[in-house]
Amino acid sequence: MSLLVNVRRAVLVGSLGAWFLATTVKQEPTRKFTKLEKLEATGFFLPEWRFFAPNPGVHDNHLLYRDTLANGEVTPWQEVCVAQDKRKLLHVLWYPDRRMEKVIFDAMGELQTIVGKGRLECKEDLQVTVPYITLLNYVSYSLEHAPDAVGTQFLMARSKGYDETSDPVMVLLSNVHPLG
């Protein structure tokens, strides 16, 4: 009986070791091991854990908005702080607001990709994309507006974060959209 247990243990340790080794080899950035990718192309059993490589994030994205008032004036730009300022230890286990942060972050990234590739002929084409509508919905209905606001507008900008030697760059300025 102990021989059978030892054999099972050896097979289990050998299998897990081979799986670990294959996953480690798949992380090779030069991609010399294409046979592994052909063997398991889905990435389900042999995942890639290179989260930030080969293109790490080097910019911070900013979302700002302002309102158009009934008398025609516009309010000053306000930056939207999507991420919660004070994280708690509980957030390691339970943080349902993270979904909203992630949706806004992803929508901004996708809009930057669309704008950067220049595939759209005019801004009106951009207004029917899912990321644009997502950001417009968030700005229109999840943020506080002036009591007499009749419209809102958002702006996406990109900066180099803590590097203050360069000014932020405007990525997208939306049209004014009606509230209500």
Side-chain angles (χ1 to χ4, degrees):
M1 186 72 159
S2 80
L3 179 63
L4 184 59
V5 170
N6 287 339
V7 169
R8 286 181 180 171
R9 185 174 292 147
V11 168
L12 178 64
V13 169
S15 299
L16 291 175
W19 183 27
F20 176 77
L21 183 63
T23 302
T24 304
V25 166
K26 191 172 178 186
Q27 310 312 308
E28 170 63 35
T30 59
R31 301 287 199 191
K32 295 176 185 175
F33 304 99
T34 56
K35 288 183 182 179
L36 281 177
E37 291 178 6
K38 289 178 184 174
L39 179 68
E40 205 276 305
T42 64
F44 183 75
F45 293 107
L46 297 175
E48 288 189 42
W49 298 108
R50 296 176 294 149
F51 293 113
F52 303 106
N55 300 316
V58 294
H59 295 99
D60 287 349
N61 296 320
H62 305 275
L63 180 64
L64 298 95
Y65 77 103
R66 67 180 178 184
D67 293 333
T68 301
L69 306 178
N71 63 5
E73 293 181 24
V74 292
T75 61
W77 287 106
Q78 296 179 37
E79 185 167 1
V80 177
C81 184
V82 179
Q84 193 175 36
D85 288 340
K86 305 252 180 183
R87 298 280 171 106
K88 300 175 184 167
L89 187 58
L90 174 65
H91 290 159
V92 172
L93 300 173
W94 177 252
Y95 188 30
D97 293 337
R98 176 67 180 126
R99 289 184 180 187
M100 178 61 75
E101 291 177 11
K102 180 75 169 125
V103 167
I104 300 305
F105 180 81
D106 288 349
M108 290 176 64
E110 185 63 28
L111 261 183
Q112 284 188 13
T113 301
I114 293 170
V115 169
K117 290 184 178 177
R119 287 187 275 178
L120 301 174
E121 307 235 348
C122 60
K123 190 190 290 187
E124 284 68 30
D125 291 342
L126 186 65
Q127 292 179 23
V128 295
T129 63
V130 172
Y132 187 96
I133 294 170
T134 300
L135 288 178
L136 178 59
N137 185 49
Y138 177 73
V139 168
S140 297
Y141 298 107
S142 297
L143 303 175
E144 290 196 25
H145 297 278
D148 58 339
V150 294
T152 192
Q153 181 179 32
F154 67 89
L155 170 104
M156 282 179 29
R158 181 176 57 216
S159 72
K160 294 209 176 187
Y162 292 108
D163 181 9
E164 296 179 1
T165 59
S166 61
D167 292 332
V169 175
M170 183 178 69
V171 175
L172 172 73
L173 176 64
S174 77
N175 290 338
V176 176
H177 295 277
L179 287 170

